[in-house]
Amino acid sequence: MSGPQAPTAVAGNTPRRRRVTVRGVVQGVGFRPYLYGLATELALAGHVTNTPEGVVAEVEGSASAVARFCDLIAAQAPPLARVESVHHREMPPVGGTAFTILTSRTGGPARTLVSPDSATCADCLAELAAPADRRYRHPFVNCTHCGPRFTIVTGVPYDRANTTMAGFAMCPDCAREYADPADRRFHAQPVACPACGPRLRLVLAQEARLGNVEGADPLTDARALLTRGAILAVKGLGGYHLACDASNQEAVALLRRRKARGDKPFAVMAGTADDVRHLVRLSPAERSLLEGRARPVVLLRRRPHPSYAPGDLRPAEAVAPGSPDLGVMLPYTPVHHLLLGLPGDPDGPRLLVMTSGNLSGEPIVTDDDEALDRLAHLADAWLTHNRPIHVPCDDSVVRVCDGEPLVIRRSRGYAPLPVSLPVSVRPVLAVGGDLKNAFCLGAGRQAWLSAHIGDMDDVGTQRVFERAVAQLESVTGVRPEALACDRHPGYRSAGWADRNAAHRPVVRVQHHHAHIAAAMAEHGLDGTRPVIGVAFDGTGHGDDGAVWGGEVLLADYDRFTRFGHLAYVPLPGGDAAVRRPYRMALAHLRAAGIDWSDDLACTTACPPDELHVLERQLERGLNCVPTSSMGRLFDAVSSLAGVCHRAGYEAQAAVELEGAALHAPADDTTAYAFALHASEENQDGAVQADPAPVLAAIVDDLHAGVEPALVAARFHRAVTGLVHRMCTRARERHGLDTVALTGGVFANTLLSSACAATLREDGFTVLRHHLVPPNDGGLALGQLMVAARATPTLTPTD
């Protein structure tokens, strides 16, 4: 909180008046009635209103009461509020005895923040389940402490006219609640009831494979369809989900086929955290995330051999095949609670698959007509409603690493809350990358990351990106003076930045430099001293034209030096090697001088004709860009160990290799070791980490009959040892002792935890991501920080 401190109370009865401006998430969260109650309690006169710059109040009364009012503004704020600053200045007294709430003011630059969508609160849930309440079983029950926010906002200030609820006229009962400062629904913009609010309807596919329903109640009929094995498109806060009974093997398998999902795990929705305790390990930190207001999907470690008691939930094997984790979320809308059933409801599914309403690679569907079209071959029925979704917002995904949150996808429940910056930046739009795209707007000491956009290969995703940029600029009031993008020449996000520069400078930021800058920014580093940045991921465009991804950089916001990296190996066939990890295994073996013997799993996994072509391809260097990617090395080891030979989704081979390592005997401490080649021996002057000794040791272990789990664990320890040795060498040469662990590989909590512990034991300060993803979903924050420093000297782009 900033602004002048309240002065000490002045003796005497001379009235004081003060104008107070509160910025942050202070609209749509009950802030005005909170200030009304506080002013009334302190016998202060004046008024409060919403404005584009925040909540503005004028209070008049005794000096001590005015000072007390200012002191308590942030300390006792409503649950969904986030106070960024409180500024106040003295004004001449004008008299009066009443404190009033004025109509919101419009005009001027937007400086307030919009609240994220929030899970249904306990008070609203009690009304939902109370037969005597007028909102009993109302699918849209909400109040100032919960419900939709960001996804329904069309402008600021946050008033009903600037939301998608503008078309729903309040009934007299709702209007009375809305206008009563003492009511929980005072100026709750989505407030409604069965008499005046949005309506649910159930639409059946023309050729419903599961027969007709009674048609008496959309929710009752929807539950009946789910019980019969139907796939249901359910309209949520930020888009449609595809839902089915997670315990029904045939329904889950059908959804997987229809959605072209491959083996990618589905997330499930359970009624309570206790419903899944027999399936997963659940720490207090993980329970807190599950039950919090954001309600993300939480990735939880599965119990290897769960024991089932009568009545326990039992998900189908097809929910998350081969994954060491189960993604779990709890209901966050009234519709979810009603789908899972209230006490006394007839039996129905108690565990639901809840996955994004789209085909893999496409943006989540939000429009009702589009849902009936684009989801026609996926869903048997649509549970929809007539409250429009203005901003697409997919579910967030979070896991816990060493007791702290690690955000994998930052979206619903978190966006558009800003990240506080350690230094002031000029207005910049950073467009992020092409995978897991999220962009970032920054100005002053704040950066606003968009909700998760998706993969920019899809034309529909590109349209969503463009609309989201316009919307976030509108609600934040940031007018970018420069743009930032990745250096990859083929990125669609970079192409968009060039086309939309409009004579503003476009700053191209190296991929791994951006990852490290993002970690520095979220930890509050001002950039005056470089860090050792360990950036491990699958793909990033290197300055030498190679595919980087196993990088150790010495970096601040202004520049970076490539201190070390994995030795280059050919990437045979580009994306083909990503989809078929056995190709990476064979490429790594050849680079290490190891024969492709027939008893190796990766050799037998490769079809004979392809094996012959691959051998010639590697000999001649055809379509073989060199890569230093750690992600691709994980793929190679996964196939070499016989864990995963074909990847149906991004990082599948690495995820399953981590899962295998979790099953290794605890008493084994053997670690493979990379060879380090000194910088003076290498053309680029960087220390090179050669995986050849690791691969040779793995092959020896496999020939000796060592189990894949042990190979996986020993490889993880090899990478941990490599990180420590590289950082130690960088400290010896450059005196640096702060390490940033970043990039998608560090979503692997087994590796992240081991690296952090080893480094800390040796006296390093370790930075890991908590607020933004370590993967490309956090890239834009780092681009912003680098570009904000670089733009003053650049020539504008046409």
Side-chain angles (χ1 to χ4, degrees):
M1 187 174 73
S2 63
Q5 297 297 312
T8 305
V10 178
N13 296 321
T14 304
R16 304 288 293 272
R17 189 176 185 90
R18 193 172 294 172
R19 178 184 173 87
V20 184
T21 301
V22 189
R23 295 193 179 107
V25 181
V26 291
Q27 295 186 9
V29 295
F31 213 86
R32 285 179 296 170
Y34 159 62
L35 293 187
Y36 173 90
L38 182 58
T40 303
E41 179 184 338
L42 294 170
L44 294 171
H47 55 78
V48 62
T49 186
N50 278 344
T51 75
E53 63 177 345
V55 169
V56 175
E58 291 187 17
V59 290
E60 183 173 334
S62 70
S64 60
V66 169
R68 180 74 174 152
F69 177 89
C70 294
D71 287 342
L72 292 176
I73 285 175
Q76 299 179 3
L80 296 187
R82 176 171 161 177
V83 177
E84 296 287 341
S85 65
V86 179
H87 293 275
H88 36 84
R89 60 183 175 88
E90 298 293 332
M91 299 185 68
V94 298
T97 57
F99 190 89
T100 58
I101 297 174
L102 303 180
T103 302
S104 298
R105 296 207 318 262
T106 58
R111 295 181 182 174
T112 192
L113 307 178
V114 177
S115 169
D117 298 325
S118 183
T120 311
C121 70
D123 288 335
C124 285
L125 287 178
E127 293 173 344
L128 184 72
D133 194 280
R134 71 188 189 90
R135 289 187 173 87
Y136 175 56
R137 304 187 74 88
H138 178 49
F140 306 97
V141 59
N142 69 87
C143 68
T144 53
H145 304 316
C146 69
R149 295 293 189 274
F150 179 53
T151 53
I152 64 170
V153 169
T154 59
V156 291
Y158 178 67
D159 283 329
R160 195 177 181 98
N162 292 326
T163 72
T164 60
M165 287 296 295
F168 296 92
M170 285 180 279
C171 68
D173 288 334
C174 287
R176 183 170 56 255
E177 294 169 335
Y178 183 85
D180 182 0
D183 195 280
R184 196 174 91 249
R185 293 189 168 88
F186 177 76
H187 277 253
Q189 307 310 339
V191 66
C193 72
C196 64
R199 299 293 177 90
L200 276 181
R201 66 187 181 112
L202 184 68
V203 180
L204 294 178
Q206 290 183 349
E207 297 180 3
R209 65 187 180 90
L210 295 165
N212 295 320
V213 292
E214 295 180 7
D217 172 65
L219 274 160
T220 300
D221 293 340
R223 291 187 73 224
L225 285 172
L226 288 169
T227 301
R228 282 185 250 166
I231 296 168
L232 195 64
V234 180
K235 188 176 181 181
L237 292 178
Y240 277 81
H241 281 108
L242 291 169
C244 71
D245 181 354
S247 302
N248 185 323
Q249 177 71 19
E250 291 183 4
V252 177
L254 178 62
L255 176 56
R256 188 170 289 285
R257 289 196 301 274
R258 287 183 178 180
K259 195 171 158 68
R261 182 83 172 184
D263 290 330
K264 188 175 183 179
F266 284 127
V268 297
M269 178 177 284
T272 70
D274 289 334
D275 287 341
V276 296
R277 288 193 65 180
H278 61 289
L279 300 172
V280 295
R281 296 184 174 95
L282 187 63
S283 69
E286 289 161 336
R287 178 183 286 272
S288 179
L289 278 171
L290 276 174
E291 296 175 346
R293 294 188 181 92
R295 293 289 166 95
V297 175
V298 182
L299 300 182
L300 302 170
R301 287 286 190 221
R302 300 169 77 169
R303 296 184 184 275
H305 305 290
S307 57
Y308 295 96
D312 279 349
L313 302 180
R314 189 188 296 257
E317 288 298 320
V319 167
S323 173
D325 303 312
L326 183 64
V328 179
M329 61 179 159
L330 302 187
Y332 55 87
T333 71
V335 169
H336 296 151
H337 287 279
L338 292 166
L339 273 178
L340 288 168
L342 298 181
D345 279 352
D347 289 342
R350 295 169 48 222
L351 189 69
L352 297 175
V353 165
M354 279 283 185
T355 187
S356 302
N358 56 3
L359 267 178
S360 295
E362 294 183 357
I364 190 170
V365 176
T366 57
D367 178 78
D368 298 335
D369 290 337
E370 191 178 6
L372 292 172
D373 179 30
R374 281 178 54 195
L375 304 182
H377 59 298
L378 301 177
D380 298 306
W382 290 256
L383 184 62
T384 185
H385 59 78
N386 58 339
R387 182 180 67 202
I389 298 170
H390 186 66
V391 183
C393 204
D394 220 326
D395 292 318
S396 294
V397 181
V398 184
R399 69 188 317 163
V400 170
C401 182
D402 296 333
E404 296 181 296
L406 171 62
V407 177
I408 305 298
R409 184 168 73 194
R410 187 181 187 272
S411 203
R412 179 192 50 76
Y414 298 94
L417 287 178
V419 174
S420 296
L421 299 179
V423 294
S424 185
V425 300
R426 67 184 305 193
V428 172
L429 166 63
V431 299
D434 271 19
L435 296 178
K436 300 180 177 66
N437 180 269
F439 62 87
C440 184
L441 277 171
R445 298 289 290 267
Q446 290 184 319
W448 290 265
L449 277 90
S450 72
H452 169 78
I453 302 293
D455 294 349
M456 295 288 279
D457 282 348
D458 185 79
V459 175
T461 305
Q462 295 170 36
R463 288 195 294 266
V464 169
F465 173 90
E466 186 146 339
R467 290 196 298 268
V469 168
Q471 194 268 349
L472 196 57
E473 286 187 10
S474 172
V475 300
T476 61
V478 175
R479 300 294 176 259
E481 298 172 4
L483 289 85
C485 64
D486 195 273
R487 287 184 184 173
H488 195 297
Y491 267 14
R492 288 166 175 79
S493 52
W496 185 93
D498 286 336
R499 292 191 303 274
N500 291 273
H503 303 288
R504 295 172 294 183
V506 176
V507 185
R508 286 166 171 77
V509 182
Q510 200 283 322
H511 190 90
H512 302 95
H513 187 198
H515 274 310
I516 295 162
M520 292 172 63
E522 76 160 88
H523 282 275
L525 273 64
D526 63 8
T528 55
R529 181 172 169 79
V531 303
I532 305 167
V534 181
F536 288 171
D537 60 6
T539 301
H541 182 72
D543 286 353
D544 58 359
V547 176
W548 291 7
E551 311 307 309
V552 180
L553 309 182
L554 310 182
D556 53 26
Y557 297 127
D558 296 315
R559 64 189 62 82
F560 71 90
T561 301
R562 197 181 191 199
F563 177 79
H565 59 85
L566 276 181
Y568 286 134
V569 298
L571 183 67
D575 287 345
V578 178
R579 293 190 298 270
R580 288 171 256 171
Y582 59 78
R583 293 176 70 95
M584 269 326 299
L586 294 168
H588 264 287
L589 289 176
R590 188 179 188 279
I594 300 172
D595 290 338
W596 294 354
S597 58
D598 292 340
D599 59 347
L600 293 177
C602 56
T603 306
T604 57
C606 184
D609 290 347
E610 184 180 350
L611 191 68
H612 178 67
V613 171
L614 181 63
E615 188 170 23
R616 295 183 62 188
Q617 183 179 8
L618 290 169
E619 285 176 356
R620 299 179 182 183
L622 299 174
N623 194 17
C624 287
V625 177
T627 183
S628 60
S629 168
M630 181 61 79
R632 299 290 78 81
L633 180 58
F634 266 81
D635 290 351
V637 173
S638 187
S639 178
L640 181 59
V643 174
C644 178
H645 302 300
R646 294 179 180 271
Y649 62 92
E650 186 187 8
Q652 178 178 354
V655 167
E656 294 186 1
L657 187 68
E658 179 188 6
L662 296 172
H663 299 298
D667 58 354
D668 181 82
T669 58
T670 303
Y672 307 130
F674 290 78
L676 294 187
H677 302 306
S679 57
E680 56 267 19
E681 302 172 13
N682 303 313
Q683 187 175 1
D684 61 4
V687 178
Q688 289 190 14
D690 184 0
V694 172
L695 298 165
I698 291 174
V699 170
D700 287 345
D701 272 355
L702 293 171
H703 285 154
V706 173
E707 291 296 317
L710 271 177
V711 171
R714 291 171 180 179
F715 174 70
H716 277 75
R717 288 193 282 272
V719 178
T720 301
L722 171 64
V723 170
H724 182 224
R725 290 166 65 199
M726 280 283 201
C727 292
T728 300
R729 188 169 293 199
R731 180 172 60 185
E732 291 170 352
R733 294 186 183 181
H734 300 279
L736 303 176
D737 58 4
T738 297
V739 179
L741 303 179
T742 186
V745 168
F746 284 107
N748 177 327
T749 55
L750 181 64
L751 179 68
S752 176
S753 181
C755 287
T758 301
L759 290 167
R760 286 170 179 155
E761 286 171 6
D762 197 18
F764 287 96
T765 298
V766 180
L767 312 179
R768 291 186 292 177
H769 290 278
H770 304 303
L771 303 178
V772 302
N775 57 43
D776 285 6
L779 200 64
L781 176 61
Q783 292 175 346
L784 171 80
M785 296 303 297
V786 174
R789 304 285 279 259
T791 47
T793 60
L794 288 190
T795 302
T797 300
D798 292 332

